[in-house]
């Protein structure tokens, strides 16, 4: 998230307004070019952010398709990536043939359907809706039924924690024994307050906004209602989540880090906090930043406060800017096939959204030595079953999370009164949704 995996600047809202105007101008959609001759050399570009697990898949695809050469544009942070995407979409040039979109930002592009190819028309005929979990597939459809993206991963939620730090603080450290600590948000934050006292002030979690985002995603309604109007001020569940998180900050539970910043990345090696909200894709992130010296000290358990939920996941789109849309759609279809998604999960922890993959023995038996040989495939498959239907994400949702709630919570971590920071978030959200 993937998150929303990290900070998108407020300029996105301004650019989206300009893009909306340009998307509404001009005539109807043009027919995509025909596929190239099978022997004709084709250069394709693929743009992703953070970790999709495609590093080994790209050369495999090139071996299977000798006439295809793929250039992978990989961006470390999702926020700048999406800002750049919006700029290029408005300019009408510069986008990759296959362009990834994070689910938290998807709603900002669904009403710009003319800028993307309909994958039901240009994609391989054997790619049918039943490949994916129904809610994953449907989320990428415009209001007039156009499919603009093939689903990649989902983000079923579990909890990761440092076994050694738990043990040193006198807390249970076995994955089964810790589950009661993570039963509810109340029990989670209570355990955190206990941990802070017993560990001489060490932090319980990395970032207030990371926990708050997970809590918001569990609510029936988030920042935006199904009427596409701002729902922050009337959303009692959101207010309650705010109170719980900011109370935990006041008790010293937060490491006060900005997720995906250089300081946050370095904090894993520094053992700066003991627990981490852990959608499936976070496993690869932890392993990368914590390093080999902490292998076996991080653990993951099939428990999450409030029962579970989904955080993150992405889609592969084919913008109409592509000169080879049919070849691009074929690549996107291959990358999102169950077999490839299992390989991506094994590489980076990006959990499959494909129905067939969720029952594949290769997934269910997959263990991750970094997390103590836990069968993480089976663990996250169990957590995925707890996701009935993700929360509706209306236009501006991702921008509110990144440019309203996260900065406001960071202000709380720096000493701003929680009530004042709440008002800061509300006012920022109003500006984004005007």
């Amino acid at each position: 998230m993937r998150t929303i995996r990290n900070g998108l600047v407020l300029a996105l809202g301004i650019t989206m307004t300009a893009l909306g105007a340009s998307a509404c101008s001009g005539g109807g959609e043009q027919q995509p070019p025909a596929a190239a001759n099978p022997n004709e050399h084709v250069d394709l570009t693929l743009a992703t952010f953070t970790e999709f697990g495609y590093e080994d898949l790209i050369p495999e695809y090139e071996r299977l398709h000798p006439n295809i050469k793929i250039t992978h544009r990989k961006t470390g942070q999702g926020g700048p990536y999406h800002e750049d995407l919006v700029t290029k979409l408005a300019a009408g040039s510069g986008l990759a043939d296959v362009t990834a979109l994070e689910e938290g930002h998807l709603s900002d592009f669904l009403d710009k359907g003319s800028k993307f190819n309909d994958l039901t028309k240009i994609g391989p005929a054997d790619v049918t809706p039943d490949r994916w979990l129904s809610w994953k597939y449907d989320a990428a459809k415009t209001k007039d039924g156009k499919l603009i993206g093939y689903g990649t991963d989902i983000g079923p939620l579990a909890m990761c924690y440092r076994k050694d730090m738990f043990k040193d603080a006198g807390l249970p450290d076995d994955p089964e024994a810790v589950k009661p600590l993570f039963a509810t948000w109340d029990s989670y934050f209570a355990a955190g307050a206990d941990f802070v006292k017993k560990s001489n002030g060490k932090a319980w979690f990395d970032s207030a906004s990371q926990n708050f985002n997970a809590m918001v995603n569990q609510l029936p309604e988030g920042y935006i209602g199904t009427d596409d109007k701002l729902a922050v001020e009337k959303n009692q569940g959101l207010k309650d989540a705010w109170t719980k998180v900011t109370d935990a900050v006041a008790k010293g539970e937060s490491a006060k880090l900005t997720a995906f910043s250089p300081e946050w990345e370095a904090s894993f090696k520094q053992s700066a906090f003991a627990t981490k909200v852990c959608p499936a894709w976070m496993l690869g992130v932890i392993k990368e930043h914590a390093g080999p010296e902490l292998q076996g000290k991080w653990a993951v358990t099939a428990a999450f406060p409030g029962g579970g939920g989904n955080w993150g996941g992405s889609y592969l789109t084919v913008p109409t800017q592509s000169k080879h849309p049919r070849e691009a759609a074929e690549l996107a279809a291959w990358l999102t096939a169950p077999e490839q998604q299992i390989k991506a999960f094994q590489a980076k922890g990006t959990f499959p959204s494909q129905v067939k993959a969720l029952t594949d023995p290769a997934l269910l038996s997959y263990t991750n030595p970094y997390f103590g040989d836990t069968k993480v495939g089976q663990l996250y498959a169990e957590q995925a079953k707890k996701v009935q239907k993700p929360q509706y994400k209306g236009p501006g949702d991702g921008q509110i999370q990144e440019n309203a709630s996260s900065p406001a919570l960071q202000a709380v971590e720096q000493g701003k009164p929680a009530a004042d920071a709440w008002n800061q978030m509300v006012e920022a959200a109003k500006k984004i949704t005007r």
Side-chain angles (χ1 to χ4, degrees), residues 22 29 73 86 89 97 102 138 141 175 193 199 209 246 346 370 401 410:
S22 65
E29 297 180 33
R73 304 175 188 168
V86 172
L89 200 64
D97 296 288
E102 205 275 332
D138 291 342
K141 292 194 295 187
S199 62
S209 65
T246 55
Q346 292 170 339
Y370 197 87
Q401 178 179 312
Q410 288 164 10

Side-chain angles (χ1 to χ4, degrees), residues 213-237:
N213 292 343
M215 297 168 80
V216 172
N217 281 340
Q218 290 179 319
L219 299 174
E221 184 177 87
Y223 300 114
I224 305 293
T226 54
D227 58 359
D228 286 343
K229 294 181 180 179
L230 186 65
V232 172
E233 291 182 285
K234 67 178 182 180
N235 190 331
Q236 187 60 47

Side-chain angles (χ1 to χ4, degrees), residues 313-329:
S314 297
Y315 293 84
L316 297 183
T317 70
V318 179
T320 54
Q321 295 179 19
S322 173
K323 295 181 180 179
H324 301 286
R326 297 185 189 278
E327 289 81 4

